[in-house]
Amino acid sequence: LTNSSRLLLPMAFSAIVAIGVANLLSPSAFEAAAAMKRLPVLHQPRSMFDGWRPVWEVVDQNFPVVPRIWDQDHDAVRTWIEDTLLKQYPPPTHFPVVLGALSDPNPAPVIGSVLRSDLLEMLSQDKFPKQLEWEHIWGASTIPSSTAVVDARFRLECRPSEDLYVTAGGCFVGVVTFAGLLKDQEQDGAKPFAC
């Protein structure tokens, strides 16, 4: 069969086309096992361009942020924390902290994240500090808005409970979560898997 050199190129081409068609039509063994167990899983891209969309297309821009400086009175800050942050559903475990003031509506650079439990602890105190102390600010994972969805998916597969804070020009734009990527995948026509 390989003795004839004139058949080598057509056979290689047909094998590459066959593999490409099989990848488009059939799921991987991992995806098939996840489907049988009904686990939420992010599918592998089926084409070269499928996962290379920019991450800003799947970002949640309505995610609340916590400014580091609280430049309003105690009652206004308490009301803002209770209404804006703690009534979110599903309740996030942490929120992005931006460099700026509560009264400043402009986008600001992300400097970290604050835990929901720390905000609840601050609510139980009699008086709020004028700014969020550094001991309450934790590290945050940020990615530029031009990052490919496939790269964000890879990072979230490693740590599904982590949120990726999307930035543009260093300023906060929104959040990409594992659940958000699953929702985007369902909207693109992939089979939804539920627990």
Side-chain angles (χ1 to χ4, degrees):
L1 186 63
T2 58
N3 196 13
S4 176
S5 60
R6 64 182 177 83
L7 293 177
L8 191 59
L9 188 61
M11 285 180 55
F13 179 73
S14 62
I16 291 171
V17 169
I19 291 170
V21 169
N23 282 339
L24 287 173
L25 298 178
S26 66
S28 67
F30 174 75
E31 289 174 350
M36 286 190 317
K37 294 183 179 187
R38 303 199 40 84
L39 297 173
V41 65
L42 295 172
H43 302 293
Q44 297 295 325
R46 293 289 177 223
S47 72
M48 203 163 93
F49 303 108
D50 190 24
W52 294 104
R53 297 181 299 152
V55 78
W56 58 264
E57 290 184 8
V58 296
V59 72
D60 178 10
Q61 295 180 350
N62 297 322
F63 201 84
V65 298
V66 177
R68 179 152 191 259
I69 299 170
W70 295 335
D71 56 351
Q72 297 181 3
D73 66 345
H74 176 74
D75 292 332
V77 173
R78 176 181 291 278
T79 303
W80 179 80
I81 288 177
E82 289 173 346
D83 292 345
T84 306
L85 301 180
L86 301 181
K87 290 186 179 176
Q88 295 288 320
Y89 186 81
T93 57
H94 52 279
F95 299 93
V97 177
V98 296
L99 193 61
L102 190 58
S103 61
D104 187 12
N106 297 326
V110 176
I111 58 173
S113 64
V114 62
L115 296 175
R116 181 186 182 88
S117 58
D118 288 345
L119 290 174
L120 289 171
E121 182 183 317
M122 287 178 205
L123 278 177
S124 67
Q125 297 175 357
D126 291 334
K127 192 170 182 179
F128 281 93
K130 286 294 182 186
Q131 66 181 11
L132 194 59
E133 300 298 329
W134 286 110
E135 62 195 36
H136 295 295
I137 299 175
W138 298 85
S141 296
T142 62
I143 57 173
S145 59
S146 60
T147 303
V149 170
V150 70
D151 294 334
R153 192 193 83 223
F154 175 73
R155 287 180 65 176
L156 288 172
E157 281 177 344
C158 295
R159 296 182 182 156
S161 62
E162 180 180 298
D163 295 340
L164 296 176
Y165 300 143
V166 180
T167 60
C171 294
F172 180 78
V173 173
V175 176
V176 174
T177 62
F178 187 79
L181 287 181
L182 282 174
K183 186 177 178 183
D184 177 66
Q185 172 178 284
E186 291 172 10
Q187 291 173 349
D188 281 349
K191 276 175 87 175
F193 296 126
C195 295

